[in-house]
Amino acid sequence: MKTLTTTEDLAAFCAEAREHPYVTIDTEFLRERTYFSKLCLVQMAMPGDGDEGAVLVDPLAEGMSLEPLYELFRDTGVVKVFHAARQDLEIFQVEAGVIPEPFFDTQVAAMVCGFGEQVGYETLVKKIARADLDKTSRFTDWSRRPLSEAQKKYALADVTHLRVIYEHLAAELEKTGRDKWVKEELAVLTDPETYEVKPSEAWKRVKTRTQSGRFMAIVRELARFREGYAKSRNIPRNRVFKDDALVELASTKPQSMQDLGRSRLLLREARRGEIAEGILAAVKAGMECPPEDMPQIDRSREKLQVNPALADLLRVLLKAKTEREGVASKLIAPAADLDLIAAGERDVPALKGWRREVFGEDALRLCEGKIALAAKGRNVKVVEL
């Protein structure tokens, strides 16, 4: 198992990789104690068998620059293959402002090819590569050096088996013509805005029961302060204060340090110093927010009247379509989206792109009374009206 610890060795490997049609890539990182992920290891493999053409890259080695890797990412002649790549891509976008192109995600491709929703790498290794993974090193501390042989073996397996999986899925997509489906799904992952965290919108991730304008204005300001503070100091959000404490603060509206001292959920470190001052300033800003600038909660969908019978028919149609196409039903439309369609909503993913082709067109025709569903044996078929 070869480990690259110099920029020169990495450059040499990447130069060789650029002579191949694809390269498989994975990362190991830590995020428990930081706001941004700490990249600890990069695994890469060129086409080949076993450990042939596969390496570990140590980004923590003294003097190591990942620029040769980023140059490989920019080379449009080589497909960069990952599995469940969102967090990996976020690391590279944040660190270097680069996203691999062209890019292939085997998890997305597997869903399109009928392996189920958010299928795990271990499952694909068993079903496609016909191998087993040793997962004992999965949750180890990847920042500690030296890495154990078990860690290295585990890490390398994440890219060696990926070659077989990629080649199988790519061939299946080409045969079925579903490669354009995968491209649509990958558009979000390759959009830099996907990884841009905006403190002003952090409040949207906080779950609350109360949604009054004034309350939500305070939630917004508290979430904005927490996001900015955590980001600037590279610490987890929860180390500033947790969501339940944020909601408590928005409810109690503390005006002084003494008020903060009475909080049941606020961490001791947050009751004084910069965090305490930030909390009080955020609460004040939320209290003084003009009504026209308060967060607006979209309640338009709450007023929709769901036709339960139509929703049930849509579920039957979806099951029939996905069984025929071999695609996970939740990938096309979760139950909530079917209810929205049955209530007359048309701005849902199931009615757009490749999903419209597979399911959406007939879903709309069913809603309009242009088709019916009939059982034939164990199958359901569409009947024109």
Side-chain angles (χ1 to χ4, degrees), residues 35-36 225-237 240:
Y35 180 89
F36 298 105
F225 162 70
R226 181 178 67 173
E227 198 74 26
Y229 188 91
K231 187 175 182 180
S232 66
R233 289 158 179 78
N234 195 23
I235 60 174
R237 297 178 189 90
V240 185

Side-chain angles (χ1 to χ4, degrees), residues 41 57 65 78 88 95 127 165 179 184 209 216 222 242 260 265 274 304 311 317 321 325 347 349 352 361 364 369 373:
L41 194 68
V57 181
S65 168
V78 184
D88 302 314
E95 295 232 347
K127 290 187 175 182
I165 294 169
D179 47 345
E184 283 187 35
R209 292 183 178 179
M216 293 308 299
L222 286 168
K242 297 181 180 181
L260 290 180
L265 302 174
E274 287 184 291
L304 294 173
L317 175 65
K321 292 285 187 179
E325 297 290 345
D347 185 20
K352 300 176 182 177
E361 287 288 356
L364 291 174
L373 302 178

Side-chain angles (χ1 to χ4, degrees), residues 314 317 321 324 356-368 371 382 384:
L314 287 169
L317 175 65
K321 292 285 187 179
R324 189 187 73 184
R356 185 182 183 99
E357 178 185 332
V358 175
F359 168 73
E361 287 288 356
D362 277 347
L364 291 174
R365 294 171 68 207
L366 182 65
C367 292
E368 294 164 2
I371 61 171
V382 172
E384 300 287 341

Side-chain angles (χ1 to χ4, degrees), residues 145-174:
R145 295 295 183 269
L147 295 174
S148 69
E149 290 302 307
Q151 283 179 303
K152 292 179 181 180
K153 182 179 179 181
Y154 164 84
L156 212 59
D158 279 347
V159 289
T160 53
H161 295 308
L162 193 55
R163 297 178 295 200
V164 179
I165 294 169
Y166 166 67
E167 291 177 5
H168 174 88
L169 293 174
E172 185 69 18
L173 291 172
E174 185 176 1

Side-chain angles (χ1 to χ4, degrees), residues 81-85 104-133 135 157-158 160-170 172-173:
V81 182
F82 292 75
H83 179 83
F104 190 94
D105 191 318
T106 55
Q107 185 179 68
V108 174
M111 288 192 288
V112 169
C113 290
F115 283 87
E117 186 184 13
Q118 293 184 330
V119 60
Y121 181 65
E122 186 176 11
T123 299
L124 295 183
V125 170
K126 286 183 178 180
K127 290 187 175 182
I128 298 176
R130 304 296 181 185
D132 293 312
L133 291 178
K135 307 294 285 185
D158 279 347
T160 53
H161 295 308
L162 193 55
R163 297 178 295 200
V164 179
I165 294 169
Y166 166 67
E167 291 177 5
H168 174 88
L169 293 174
E172 185 69 18
L173 291 172

Side-chain angles (χ1 to χ4, degrees), residues 218-226 241 246 249-250 279 282-283:
I218 300 173
V219 167
R220 179 181 63 189
E221 297 306 320
L222 286 168
R224 187 205 306 267
F225 162 70
R226 181 178 67 173
F241 47 82
L246 188 155
L249 292 168
I279 289 173
V283 171

